[in-house]
Amino acid sequence: MSALRILVPIKRVIDYAVKPRVNKAQTAIETAGVKHSMNPFDELSVEESVRIREKKSYAGGVEDILAFSCGPPKAQDVLRTAMAMGADRGIHVEVKEGEEIEPLGVAKLLKAVVEKEKSNLVVLGKQSIDDDAGQTGQMLAGLLGWGQATQAAKVTFEGEGESARVLVEREVDGGTDVVRAKLPMVITTDLRLNEPRYASLPNIMKAKKKKIEKVSAEDLGVDVTKRLKTVKVIEPPPRQGGGRVDDVDGMIKRLKELGSL
Amino acid sequence: MTAQNPALRREVINIYKELLYLGREYPLGYDYFRPRLHKAFASKASLTDENEIRKGIERAQFVKKEIEALYYLKRYRTLRKRYDKVD
């Protein structure tokens, strides 16, 4: 039986704690001089892959955990973090600073990498906290023709060899939804899947020895030209504060004015 | 300063460095974190008994775990607030 070859796509995004600002031209979010880190949902997927290996939850074992990132040269930092957390190696598809590849483009790149590396499980964050598109996983599953389980809250394996199945629990309104699927498959992670470990200093140092392969979109034979156009980026209107009423009569009067009574 | 036990001394320095590294993301800022960390270590500088030093290292390990948990929870709560509508 074949061991798992896990592909973990990650994205470098503006740190979750930073308040995003729209640039002056209203074309995008200001990224220069802003702290960046790995997309939190991707941390969950790295952690899950490493846990599958450590807990030996898949009978066939894990052969390889490959971290993938598509972004500016600095995206290497998040690849290093992923490798410090336990990924074996990295692939970096480099694009120019400030350029952003759409979910469809990324899904096509991932498809090419999956085919090249013979991955049989892709674990990715359900969305990135910068664009919140939440499309890449689904598009990739569609392009590959694989099964998919989105927003995983728990991942387990059963059976061996040909009868091996992946069980993915998902949190839905009013309960848990369980998806059972054959490998190969695509899983996207939800917030409560696990608690990502902290990439410690010694591990980051060790990760510097691991290899990052640099490729370009052309090397993979993928066309990543944009199909979408961003018309305008604006900040949401500031929240309106509530009003204060003096007594019950005042409140009833206000409610009547607002048409609630 | 003469170290009685070089291995132990290295351990102390390592955990100090790790804590410093963790402190870079401390919510109240590195400038808040660093002097306090330094003070905590300096206050134990006079320890000579090996067992006492080991206890100190254990405490540092504990603090490290606490800080990691703090970061995790902070991020988890922020994301939850952002993405899970709890009305």
Side-chain angles (χ1 to χ4, degrees), chain A residues 151-154 167-179:
Chain A
Q151 275 125 304
K154 194 178 174 193
L167 289 176
V168 177
E169 284 181 20
R170 319 165 59 220
E171 287 172 5
V172 291
D173 285 346
T176 310
D177 182 21
V178 184
V179 178

Side-chain angles (χ1 to χ4, degrees), chain B:
Chain B
M1 185 184 137
T2 49
Q4 284 92 352
N5 188 338
L8 220 51
R9 180 180 155 81
R10 200 160 57 233
E11 254 183 74
V12 172
I13 293 173
N14 276 347
I15 187 76
Y16 183 65
K17 276 187 186 164
E18 275 176 42
L19 283 168
L20 266 186
Y21 175 75
L22 269 175
R24 296 203 296 201
E25 286 177 42
Y26 200 73
L28 292 169
Y30 192 51
D31 294 336
Y32 175 93
F33 184 88
R34 211 188 80 94
R36 275 164 184 77
L37 179 69
H38 188 259
K39 224 168 96 191
F41 271 74
S43 72
K44 302 250 182 189
S46 59
L47 292 186
T48 46
D49 182 44
E50 287 201 2
N51 285 327
E52 291 282 315
I53 297 174
R54 284 214 174 85
K55 255 188 213 157
I57 294 174
E58 245 169 60
R59 170 146 177 77
Q61 303 276 16
F62 170 76
V63 171
K64 185 183 149 203
K65 271 200 195 120
E66 291 282 298
I67 296 174
E68 282 177 10
L70 167 80
Y71 290 171
Y72 167 72
L73 275 175
K74 183 168 173 261
R75 189 175 54 208
Y76 175 82
R77 287 188 184 137
T78 318
L79 287 173
R80 215 179 141 197
K81 245 186 237 157
R82 242 176 249 177
Y83 289 108
D84 288 5
K85 284 245 161 62
V86 196
D87 292 324

Side-chain angles (χ1 to χ4, degrees), chain A residues 14 20 24 66 74 99 107 114 163 190 237 247 253:
Chain A
I14 294 180
K24 281 206 182 91
L66 171 63
K74 279 190 185 152
E99 254 179 55
V114 162
S163 62
D190 202 356
D247 49 16
K253 207 175 135 213

